[in-house]
Amino acid sequence: MRGGDREAEFREYLLADRTRLMRTALLLTAGDVHTAEDLVQTACTRVYVHWHRIKHEGAGPYAHRILVNAFLDERRRAGRHPEVVTAEAVEPRLTDVADQADTLAVRGALLDLAPRQRAVLVLRYFQDLDVASCARILDCTEGTVKSQTAKALKRLKELMTEETGSS
């Protein structure tokens, strides 16, 4: 295949999927725009490198798996402290109707979840993936996805109750 064709195909894929990748990354990072952009760049770079192999299988699932793995790897690094998201931060809105206070509360609660639990919730409920797809992306069993989802939802409920109770 000629390099120009490869470039055009990759560019077409990127135009179609970059917004979804960025939305996922923003959710995983609980609104940390800079880290989200880094994660998306990592995913896009790896997709490009392996384009010849993955374009027929579907670059989307591959890119999202890279994105989640890059996020989990970032959280494992020693000395990494997440930034605190404040109302003054300049960041893209996920929806036009989202109340900023609610958005910040959810992001704050997501930030307090363990990285893998956060990844499960983002994939299941924000990306609307089924259990099997999440298991493939996270490289674990479907039972692990289900148990992590249950634990994450329970913890998220506790955190959101604390947030609304302290207001």
Side-chain angles (χ1 to χ4, degrees), residues 23-76:
R23 190 170 291 130
T24 301
L26 281 169
L27 289 165
L28 288 170
T29 62
D32 182 343
V33 177
H34 301 293
T35 302
E37 288 173 348
D38 289 345
L39 292 172
V40 170
Q41 184 63 39
T42 297
C44 291
T45 301
R46 292 185 187 163
V47 166
Y48 180 77
V49 168
H50 299 287
W51 185 253
H52 64 282
R53 181 173 46 102
I54 63 169
K55 68 177 181 169
H56 300 293
E57 300 167 13
Y62 183 82
H64 281 83
R65 181 174 184 162
I66 290 170
L67 185 76
V68 170
N69 286 339
F71 164 73
L72 293 172
D73 289 345
E74 177 73 18
R75 297 296 134 195
R76 287 183 194 118

Side-chain angles (χ1 to χ4, degrees), residues 6 23 33-34 86 90 101-102 117 120 150 153 157 164:
R6 176 183 179 180
R23 190 170 291 130
V33 177
H34 301 293
T86 65
V90 177
D102 289 342
Q117 289 179 349
V120 166
L153 287 173
K157 181 178 178 181
T164 57

Side-chain angles (χ1 to χ4, degrees), residues 100-164:
Q100 191 170 13
D102 289 342
T103 300
L104 290 173
V106 170
R107 286 182 180 172
L110 283 172
L111 194 58
D112 286 341
L113 292 176
R116 223 164 149 80
Q117 289 179 349
R118 189 182 326 160
V120 166
L121 288 185
V122 167
L123 293 172
R124 289 281 291 132
Y125 298 105
F126 292 97
Q127 289 298 321
D128 200 29
L129 297 178
D130 61 21
V131 172
S133 297
C134 291
R136 279 192 303 277
I137 289 171
L138 294 170
D139 195 28
C140 63
T141 66
E142 291 183 19
T144 299
V145 170
K146 291 175 186 177
S147 68
Q148 287 293 306
T149 300
K151 289 176 186 174
L153 287 173
K154 180 180 177 190
R155 179 68 181 138
L156 189 63
K157 181 178 178 181
E158 291 168 358
L159 291 167
M160 294 302 293
T161 301
E162 290 171 12
E163 176 71 26
T164 57

